[in-house]
Amino acid sequence: MFRRLTKTFSRPKLCYLIKNNNLGGSFSNYRSIVPLSTTNLALKDEKVTVTFVLNDGKSLETQAKIGDTLLDVVVNNDLNIEGYGACEGTLTCSTCHVILKQEDYDRLPEEPSDEERDMLDLAYGLTDTSRLGCQITLTKDLDGLVIQVPETINDARS
Amino acid sequence: MTLKVVKAVRRTISSACKKNLQVCIVGAGPAGFYAAMHLSKNVQNVNLDIIEKLPVPFGLIRYGVAPDHPEVKNVINQFTKVAKQPNVNFYGNISLGKDIHLRQLREHYDAVLLTYGAEKDRLLGIENEDAQNVISARNFVGWYNGHPSEQNLKIDLSSKTAAILGQGNVALDVARILYTPIDDLRKTDITECALSSLAESKVRELYLVGRRGPLQVAFTIKELREQLNLKNCQTVWRENDFDNIEDTVPHLPRPRKRLTELMLKSFKQGNVLDDCSKYKIFKPIFFRSPKKFLINTDKQVTGVLLACNKLHGDNWVTQKCLATDDTEILNCGLVFRSIGYTSVQADNELSFDNGVVPNDKGCVLDDNSEDKLAKLYVAGWLGTGPVGVILHTMGNAFQVAKVMCDDLKNVKHDKRDGFSAISRIMNSDQIVDWNGWERINKYEIEQGQSKGKPREKICNVNKMIEVAKCNDMLIE
Ligand SMILES: Cc1cc2nc3c(=O)[nH]c(=O)nc-3n(C[C@H](O)[C@H](O)[C@H](O)COP(=O)(O)OP(=O)(O)OC[C@H]3O[C@@H](n4cnc5c(N)ncnc54)[C@H](O)[C@@H]3O)c2cc1C
Ligand code: FES
């Protein structure tokens, strides 16, 4: 299912890329281009709280719209997570890697697709409860979600 | 008011108040941009100048990443945001070692970061490697992606059988571009010249030759899955190549395990080739090292002599491959060499060893460092060697930028004047700035539109400069 989603997303994004390259715009108009699931229209004002815990220990707590992906949340709220979401949710970069608590991981409505697992396999510090933030859609249920953003470097290598 | 004026004004204002730190980054690929992203956010009063050999930015994002993977290139949007910050400048068409020397940069900046990548192909060092139609994969990739230095590539695609030596992601990129239906490629930003050559390609049997076994392949699972799913293509594995592999699978770490399982699944599905003429055939083969290229009297390649290898050792990570006395001949009229890259020593005052700049967490280990010279750093493929995807290059660039942030707090020498000094040293008429790139970008997108392509790249440096300098085209 996610695969199909990604596919339908990639075309408008392409236009976005072209437009953006030209004008060199910012991420602020990103949201209007990404079509959100239409079933969420009725819920559009409902918000949940999510907290990103960064690898330097800093926490970023924010209000997020139900129906948004974690990537949308980072982009729309201008959260300062360096390099996050390089491919803009098209499942080709793994920079949106997050680690969840086991119980949160278990209660996500969708299991990761093969394509998501393929990308996760590239990430440093992969765990059994790792996911890609661009593939997690917020539901009401997930209010209070705490998300750990892992280190992007492999210290063993350096 | 143009961006340039705004930037100039802001610069004057800020330099009037405080000492501005001047940092130069050499190479506008992912490593350079990611480092700039971190430095511009985390160092106060810093001015960052990104110097690039080509008139256009983005390095391998533009000239490496395959044209049928436009999503990967979305990262350009983040880089564009970095370049548009008032304290970041792009100066294209300046080559380190040619237009400007390392010493000059180190005299006029507070810190210099080298991120100029690894552009040279590694050679096999075997007989007849210079035969016609033995093609470097990197040259081929540069050619179809419109790199100005690769546009004279001589390639003959009229042979039915071809071989790719090497089993990394670039090897799979080459395979996929050769086998993707031409009408799908027409919708990408692949060059017109490459399109017309590929449209005539007769290749229907393509080998992917690996030195070691299925457990040691260097490509990643996403790329393999894509290759296996390619329309009109059948993958045929060799019968004995997977002996004993299945028993090892449960003991592998997750990424290697999933990759191996995917190969095994494809292997077990077997090859139900009902109608051979319908399919192009993809044949990964293992345990073979090229010993020499076979040629005809015109010095064209006609095949590869392969040594048969055996793996020694129990652990798949440390297994060594040794050649046996057995050999095999692979007849083919086209060979791609895709066994990796190496960097070049761009400036003779740069320490250089084994294809990389020796460094400790990005600090260049050089002994002739004089006090008055700026500290020297290296990030990306030039420092790590040519391995890893953008994600890994990003991690490395951030790490090096962090080290630089700390060091920049303790800069001792006098104020440096950065690019204003550099532009006095060299002919600044040739420089293409960010506005120039935006003109090129706009032009390329326009040229692509009529063909239904995202862009048609300009493949010639002079033309790039001409478009960049075209003043009457205003950027809205
Ligand atoms: C063919 C190919 C395909 C790839 N595809 C993918 C992919 O799909 N996804 C992915 O995640 N990763 C991919 N990668 C890996 C990715 O491209 C690298 O991780 C990354 O580009 C390395 O960044 P870099 O900045 O170190 O080098 P580069 O990207 O090579 O940037 C170096 C820059 O320095 C410039 N330069 C060179 N010499 C000089 C000089 N003397 N003076 C000034 N400037 C100079 C170059 O022109 C270039 O712009 C691919 C790599 C290759 C080779
Ligand atoms: S944003 Fe690139 S994989 Fe999620």
Side-chain angles (χ1 to χ4, degrees):
Chain A
M1 183 220 171
F2 276 129
R3 186 156 192 220
R4 232 179 303 128
L5 267 183
T6 331
K7 280 214 173 119
T8 42
F9 276 8
S10 59
R11 205 149 290 283
K13 283 231 178 86
L14 216 76
C15 308
Y16 165 72
L17 173 71
I18 294 164
K19 212 169 95 194
N20 190 51
N21 268 348
N22 199 2
L23 305 170
S26 71
F27 259 21
S28 55
N29 61 351
Y30 178 91
R31 186 169 156 190
S32 57
I33 313 282
V34 177
L36 297 174
S37 168
T38 46
T39 52
N40 296 313
L41 277 179
L43 303 168
K44 71 170 183 287
D45 287 321
E46 281 202 63
K47 301 244 172 173
V48 291
T49 305
V50 296
T51 308
F52 290 84
V53 180
L54 308 189
N55 52 55
D56 59 5
K58 263 191 222 126
S59 278
L60 305 171
E61 189 185 290
T62 188
Q63 295 293 304
K65 254 177 37 196
I66 288 173
D68 274 6
T69 65
L70 289 183
L71 172 64
D72 295 332
V73 176
V74 171
V75 172
N76 295 345
N77 296 310
D78 230 342
L79 299 186
N80 185 6
I81 308 180
E82 211 161 43
Y84 198 87
C87 77
E88 303 179 353
T90 55
L91 266 183
T92 53
C93 77
S94 322
T95 59
C96 62
H97 177 202
V98 293
I99 298 173
L100 302 176
K101 284 192 241 149
Q102 185 71 51
E103 63 261 33
D104 291 332
Y105 184 88
D106 292 338
R107 71 193 164 112
L108 290 178
E110 305 261 359
E111 296 234 316
S113 63
D114 278 344
E115 285 73 16
E116 181 179 345
R117 285 178 214 263
D118 288 358
M119 288 315 294
L120 273 170
D121 281 355
L122 289 176
Y124 289 135
L126 179 68
T127 69
D128 290 339
T129 59
S130 285
R131 289 291 306 260
L132 291 179
C134 66
Q135 303 301 310
I136 299 177
T137 307
L138 289 171
T139 57
K140 198 167 177 192
D141 231 40
L142 292 171
D143 192 21
L145 186 68
V146 176
I147 304 127
Q148 195 197 327
V149 182
E151 189 77 78
T152 51
I153 51 165
N154 178 5
D155 275 324
R157 195 181 61 162
S158 49
Chain B
M1 212 173 358
T2 68
L3 186 72
K4 217 173 172 177
V5 179
V6 179
K7 277 189 182 181
V9 171
R10 284 202 215 179
R11 217 173 297 146
T12 339
I13 296 171
S14 62
S15 65
C17 315
K18 271 188 199 115
K19 175 181 161 177
N20 234 351
L21 287 169
Q22 299 285 351
V23 175
C24 182
I25 298 175
V26 182
F33 272 105
Y34 276 123
M37 182 187 286
H38 187 87
L39 292 169
S40 63
K41 245 189 286 178
N42 294 289
V43 184
Q44 287 201 333
N45 298 311
V46 69
N47 178 69
L48 297 160
D49 295 333
I50 306 178
I51 287 179
E52 163 62 45
K53 176 162 81 172
L54 292 169
V56 295
F58 308 136
L60 285 169
I61 306 293
R62 180 175 159 104
Y63 290 121
V65 173
D68 60 338
H69 286 167
E71 309 85 11
V72 177
K73 305 187 198 200
N74 284 352
V75 68
I76 284 175
N77 296 330
Q78 287 193 357
F79 296 163
T80 298
K81 240 178 119 180
V82 171
K84 294 218 143 206
Q85 293 182 78
N87 58 345
V88 178
N89 302 288
F90 169 78
Y91 298 113
N93 202 26
I94 303 179
S95 186
L96 173 68
K98 224 176 86 200
D99 302 309
I100 196 84
H101 293 283
L102 186 60
R103 170 166 288 267
Q104 294 167 320
L105 293 178
R106 295 182 75 179
E107 276 167 1
H108 295 291
Y109 283 89
D110 293 296
V112 175
L113 169 64
L114 302 178
T115 55
Y116 66 79
E119 61 187 12
K120 227 175 78 188
D121 211 48
R122 262 186 57 206
L123 296 175
L124 288 156
I126 59 174
E127 207 176 317
N128 299 328
E129 198 161 353
D130 57 349
Q132 277 183 49
N133 245 16
V134 174
I135 309 271
S136 129
R138 181 70 173 260
N139 294 155
F140 181 66
V141 168
W143 171 73
Y144 66 61
N145 277 326
H147 195 291
S149 336
E150 310 292 359
Q151 295 312 300
N152 297 323
L153 183 81
K154 276 209 190 72
I155 181 167
D156 176 359
L157 293 161
S158 65
S159 160
K160 186 182 145 284
T161 305
I164 302 171
L165 307 175
Q167 295 185 322
N169 278 342
V170 179
L172 282 188
D173 278 350
V174 170
R176 201 178 62 255
I177 293 298
L178 284 173
Y179 271 7
T180 298
I182 198 78
D183 287 330
D184 291 350
L185 288 181
R186 284 188 210 286
K187 298 172 203 145
T188 73
D189 66 5
I190 192 168
T191 63
E192 281 299 295
C193 160
L195 265 181
S196 55
S197 296
L198 287 167
E200 301 296 313
S201 167
K202 297 280 181 299
V203 178
R204 303 199 60 84
E205 184 186 39
L206 182 58
Y207 286 86
L208 189 81
V209 184
R211 212 158 50 93
R212 298 194 284 170
L215 292 177
Q216 286 90 14
V217 293
F219 50 70
T220 50
I221 186 166
K222 175 183 178 284
E223 280 67 21
L224 175 66
R225 200 185 291 282
E226 216 176 335
Q227 180 67 32
L228 295 177
N229 291 339
L230 214 57
K231 278 183 253 177
N232 312 324
C233 171
Q234 281 272 355
T235 303
V236 178
W237 307 87
R238 272 193 180 171
E239 202 49 53
N240 299 323
D241 277 351
F242 286 86
D243 290 353
N244 306 323
I245 296 290
E246 199 147 16
D247 306 337
T248 319
V249 168
H251 311 293
L252 298 171
R254 168 176 150 173
R256 183 59 62 180
K257 183 168 174 220
R258 294 185 64 246
L259 176 60
T260 311
E261 281 169 348
L262 183 62
M263 281 188 273
L264 273 170
K265 186 173 153 209
S266 162
F267 171 71
K268 283 188 193 153
Q269 269 169 359
N271 321 300
V272 265
L273 291 180
D274 42 353
D275 178 4
C276 279
S277 63
K278 241 176 38 201
Y279 296 107
K280 295 178 176 177
I281 310 297
F282 179 60
K283 293 182 167 173
I285 62 173
F286 298 95
F287 311 112
R288 296 290 182 273
S289 292
K291 255 175 106 110
K292 82 180 216 195
F293 293 102
L294 309 174
I295 54 172
N296 62 18
T297 45
D298 294 331
K299 224 175 176 278
Q300 279 161 340
V301 70
T302 58
V304 193
L305 178 69
L306 300 168
C308 304
N309 298 330
K310 267 212 153 64
L311 287 182
H312 293 260
D314 300 327
N315 184 316
W316 65 276
V317 185
T318 51
Q319 274 179 335
K320 287 235 151 49
C321 87
L322 294 176
T324 65
D325 292 336
D326 298 336
T327 56
E328 175 184 353
I329 287 177
L330 198 166
N331 292 309
C332 56
L334 170 63
V335 181
F336 296 93
R337 178 185 58 223
S338 184
I339 56 158
Y341 313 114
T342 167
S343 297
V344 294
Q345 182 183 19
D347 190 289
N348 52 20
E349 283 195 35
L350 177 64
S351 58
F352 198 78
D353 187 26
N354 238 329
V356 296
V357 173
N359 67 93
D360 177 25
K361 288 204 170 61
C363 300
V364 174
L365 304 169
D366 65 339
D367 21 59
N368 62 346
S369 163
E370 303 153 35
D371 273 353
K372 67 176 175 75
L373 292 183
K375 232 181 137 176
L376 190 60
Y377 303 85
V378 60
W381 277 13
L382 179 62
T384 62
V387 284
V389 293
I390 300 165
L391 175 78
H392 307 128
T393 298
M394 176 185 90
N396 174 258
F398 286 161
Q399 185 187 35
V400 176
K402 274 187 192 135
V403 173
M404 290 178 72
C405 281
D406 289 340
D407 291 356
L408 281 167
K409 288 181 193 136
N410 305 313
V411 168
K412 289 205 186 68
H413 46 243
D414 302 338
K415 188 174 175 337
R416 299 288 164 95
D417 40 6
F419 200 76
S420 53
I422 301 304
S423 57
R424 283 196 298 273
I425 298 170
M426 56 176 289
N427 169 15
S428 48
D429 295 346
Q430 64 177 44
I431 297 169
V432 174
D433 63 8
W434 195 259
N435 286 337
W437 153 244
E438 295 208 318
R439 289 194 194 98
I440 295 172
N441 187 36
K442 184 163 181 253
Y443 180 89
E444 289 186 339
I445 291 168
E446 280 167 6
Q447 296 297 305
Q449 254 158 15
S450 58
K451 299 171 192 146
K453 297 165 84 172
R455 73 172 64 235
E456 184 65 47
K457 288 182 190 165
I458 306 176
C459 304
N460 169 300
V461 168
N462 289 333
K463 177 75 186 170
M464 285 177 183
I465 296 171
E466 184 195 315
V467 173
K469 301 281 176 195
C470 185
N471 279 328
D472 49 358
M473 273 172 64
L474 276 174
I475 303 276
E476 302 88 322

